Each structure stands twice: as structure tokens, then as C-alpha cells.
Amino acid sequence: MAVTAQMVKELREKTGAGMMDCKKALVQTDGDIDAAIDFLREKGLSSASKKADRIAAEGITSILVKGNDAVIFEVNAETDFVAKNEGFQTLVKELGEHLIETKPATIEEATASTMSNGSTVADHISNAIAKIGEKINLRRFEIRTKTDADAFGPYLHMGGRISVLVVLENSTDESAARDIAMHIAALNPKYVSRDEVSADEVEHERKVLTEQALNEGKPEKIVAKMVEGRLGKYFEDVCLLDQAFVKNSDQKVRDFAASTGGSVKEFIRYEVGEGIEKREDNFADEVMSQVNKK
């Protein structure tokens, strides 16, 4: 049976596989669309292990809130293009629903758990790899539970490039909690308050600032006072509550939170690919390598 461009297009839309792979599958199955889908799935699943050494540093971070439960999580793919794929985004939604329903404790427990469709999370992701054609993995997640007296502040920036989840304690002002999450997305503090900064980190910073002041030729008798002043600036950089609120620079975040009657209990900030060493590919070379295979 002759393979037409329309058949290739239809198969590609159904599977998300590459054009040449779709054509080969149709030739192999004599134009049978259903058989070609199975052929591509089998081919994808068998090659999924070969994708294991690829670097998946793109993807989406996301947040799902259901009542007093919330999950923030990251699902990685190899390219930003695939991260915008409808099939990938559906997978992300399905994983979020599963995580918040089952509340696994670890990634290992999550990937081994069974979804409502009867597949394990690992198998469900493998099926997505077969259709989409890139390495995909559930990288990390955190689940939080609040009381009726608290508020969640979920915020997604740039379509999920950055996600922030805030727990505002003793306040039900969800709008304020979201504003604080937006602030965190922009300024990227490391801690909620100074109490969370370790003594070792403070002492290290004090030594660095002392050397800095001495190298500037400042008199030793005023260096200690200068260093304490500069430490205050350091705390403003790393501690959320010490920062000037992005929506009102005359107000500290702690004061904004207090104006709602509550306080920031904790926050979690995810940025896609942070901490992953990204491979620098030559796109032209990659395209030519694919052309030479045909």
C-alpha cells in the first residue's frame, strides 16, 4: 500500500513521533495506522533505555492545590520545544493529580506507585517517552498540608519555568500569599528568616566582609562596625522577611505578611533545570547527523 503524506501527518499527530519514523512505521506495517502506532510504541519503548544517558534539563515546574493539600513538582524533558508539547503537558497534569492523591514520600516510591489507569508512574512515563521521543523524568516534588486557618500561595512564572509555593500561617489571605510567592520568584531568597541561616554561614560571611573592608584600607577600629552593617545587607539578600516587598519597596515582606494577620511559615521555589549540568549541543551538527542517517 502506498504511504501518503496525509497518512504520515495523521500518524505523527497521534503519536508525536518524528516524520521519518512515522513514514518508516507505515512502510513497515503496509499503511496500517493502528499497527504503525504499536510499531512506534514498541520502538520507542525499546529505545527508551538508550535515552537514559541524555540530559533532561528542560521541562516544567508546576503546582497543584486541592483543599488543604498542595504539591509542587518538576518534570524534565530534553528540549524546551517538547516542554510546550500538549502530550507532555497532559503528562505533567496527570502526574500532579497522582502525587497529590497518593502523597508518596520519595521519588522512588512515586515512580513505583500505581496510577488510576493501572500503570505504574515509571511505565506511564515510558509510554510518554515512546510517543514524544525524548527522555522524560519526574525529577522532584514536595507535598505540603495546611490547616483551615492558613493559606497557600501558589505562583507560576513564565509558564512554569519557575514555581513558588508559600504557606502563610494564621491567615486565609490567598491573594497576599500569592503576592509573596511572586516576590520570591523574582528575588530568589534562600531562607525565610535570619534564624534559618546557620552560624557557620554567618561566620564565613563575616570573615569575607572583614577581609573586604581591610583590603579597602578601612581603619581596623571601624571595620567591625562596618562588617555588622554589611551583614545586615547580606541578610536582606538571602532572607525573605528582611527584603523590601516588590509591590511596595517601603515595606518589608515581614510587615506585609503581618498586615494580613499571619506570618510566612515556609516557601519552596523550583526553577526548571537548576542544579543540572546542561549539555551544550551544536544544533547544526545535530541536524546534519540526522540527515546523514536517512
Side-chain angles (χ1 to χ4, degrees):
M1 181 179 181
V3 174
T4 65
Q6 181 58 38
M7 292 165 64
V8 172
K9 180 175 180 291
E10 181 183 350
L11 182 58
R12 191 177 185 188
E13 288 174 350
K14 287 186 175 181
T15 64
M19 182 176 66
M20 292 306 296
D21 285 336
C22 288
K23 184 175 180 181
K24 289 175 183 177
L26 286 164
V27 169
Q28 183 74 22
T29 58
D30 197 29
D32 186 322
I33 293 285
D34 291 335
I37 291 172
D38 289 341
F39 177 85
L40 285 170
R41 289 190 67 235
E42 290 164 6
K43 184 175 183 293
L45 286 170
S46 66
S47 64
S49 60
K50 297 177 184 177
K51 295 180 173 67
D53 61 346
R54 296 186 185 177
I55 299 173
E58 297 296 336
I60 291 176
T61 65
S62 190
I63 301 171
L64 182 61
V65 176
K66 281 195 171 183
N68 283 341
D69 295 321
V71 59
I72 180 170
F73 60 106
E74 179 179 358
V75 183
N76 292 134
E78 294 176 56
T79 64
D80 182 54
F81 177 78
V82 162
K84 297 172 182 174
N85 175 285
E86 185 178 346
F88 180 82
Q89 292 182 350
T90 297
L91 172 67
V92 169
K93 183 179 178 182
E94 291 168 343
L95 291 174
E97 294 279 358
H98 178 72
L99 290 171
I100 206 166
E101 289 296 330
T102 59
K103 298 183 180 60
T106 63
I107 284 290
E108 292 75 19
E109 185 180 324
T111 54
S113 62
T114 302
M115 302 183 69
S116 59
N117 62 7
S119 295
T120 63
V121 167
D123 286 344
H124 194 60
I125 292 173
S126 289
N127 286 333
I129 291 173
K131 292 180 179 179
I132 295 171
E134 282 195 5
K135 178 181 178 181
I136 297 170
N137 66 280
L138 173 62
R139 182 188 179 201
R140 54 182 173 165
F141 68 90
E142 294 188 52
I143 297 169
R144 293 293 183 269
T145 300
K146 68 174 184 66
T147 72
D148 289 339
D150 308 326
F152 283 133
Y155 177 74
L156 269 64
H157 182 66
M158 294 176 63
R161 291 294 301 178
I162 298 172
S163 291
V164 180
L165 178 65
V166 165
V167 182
L168 188 60
E169 199 171 35
N170 298 320
S171 172
T172 57
D173 192 334
E174 295 178 355
S175 177
R178 184 181 181 279
D179 283 345
I180 294 172
M182 181 179 66
H183 170 102
I184 293 165
L187 270 69
N188 194 16
K190 292 171 64 178
Y191 309 102
V192 172
S193 67
R194 298 187 184 196
D195 295 340
E196 296 179 0
V197 186
S198 71
D200 287 344
E201 184 173 342
V202 173
E203 187 55 33
H204 172 77
E205 190 64 23
R206 182 176 280 112
K207 286 180 180 178
V208 170
L209 292 173
T210 299
E211 288 300 316
Q212 201 176 74
L214 290 172
N215 289 336
E216 291 170 359
K218 306 296 183 184
E220 286 192 31
K221 62 181 180 180
I222 67 166
V223 164
K225 186 175 181 180
M226 285 184 60
V227 166
E228 292 310 306
R230 291 181 179 181
L231 263 179
K233 178 63 172 67
Y234 171 73
F235 285 127
E236 287 179 11
D237 288 340
V238 301
C239 299
L240 171 67
L241 299 183
D242 283 299
Q243 293 177 339
F245 186 40
V246 290
K247 295 186 78 171
N248 179 4
S249 59
D250 294 329
Q251 186 179 40
K252 297 287 188 180
V253 172
R254 70 158 51 82
D255 298 324
F256 174 71
S259 72
T260 72
S263 60
V264 179
K265 180 181 180 181
E266 66 174 323
F267 70 84
I268 305 160
R269 184 186 188 275
Y270 281 177
E271 186 165 348
V272 170
E274 60 188 346
I276 300 175
E277 185 177 348
K278 299 184 182 182
R279 182 184 62 199
E280 296 296 331
D281 287 330
N282 184 310
F283 183 68
D285 288 346
E286 183 178 341
V287 171
M288 287 307 299
S289 71
Q290 294 299 316
V291 170
N292 292 334
K293 288 179 182 178
K294 296 169 185 175

